Amino acid sequence: MPEGSRKKSRKGRSLKGNEKVEIVYKVLAQKELQKDVARYHRIGANTVSRLVTKAKKNKKFLSELLSSEEAEAGSRRRIAEIV
């Protein structure tokens, strides 16, 4: 690697729960192509396909995502109040 250049990480940022819900909604409800949604969110088409498949198999998948995100936000609020 040339001196002064940075090594780029192969792993991208992780998706938040509401982003996952938005991706699944765009593909299933709005009938957008998976590759277009992947390009918009800067993720791989394989990731979009995996999320859609999980949502189709497990009907509670989206509600679990949102509830876990709300639980994290609640714990952060409690910590902020203590500090």
Side-chain angles (χ1 to χ4, degrees):
M1 193 161 51
E3 191 171 311
S5 64
R6 292 185 317 165
K7 182 179 179 185
K8 293 183 179 178
S9 174
R10 289 186 61 101
K11 184 178 179 191
R13 64 178 177 81
S14 60
L15 292 171
K16 300 201 183 311
N18 57 355
E19 289 176 321
K20 291 178 183 179
V21 171
E22 182 182 349
I23 290 168
V24 172
Y25 175 76
K26 282 182 179 180
V27 173
L28 294 179
Q30 295 180 341
K31 305 291 185 195
E32 291 186 27
L33 295 177
Q34 290 183 4
K35 67 178 184 176
D36 294 337
V37 175
R39 189 177 302 128
Y40 177 77
H41 287 279
R42 294 184 168 194
I43 57 175
N46 188 29
T47 305
V48 174
S49 177
R50 250 185 302 129
L51 287 172
V52 171
T53 303
K54 276 185 182 179
K56 283 182 179 179
K57 284 184 179 180
N58 184 5
K59 300 298 180 187
K60 297 179 183 178
F61 174 69
L62 298 176
S63 62
E64 290 172 0
L65 279 175
L66 293 175
S67 65
S68 66
E69 189 173 292
E70 289 173 2
E72 288 178 23
S75 64
R76 287 187 188 132
R77 272 189 244 116
R78 281 186 238 119
I79 291 171
E81 288 173 1
I82 292 172
V83 173

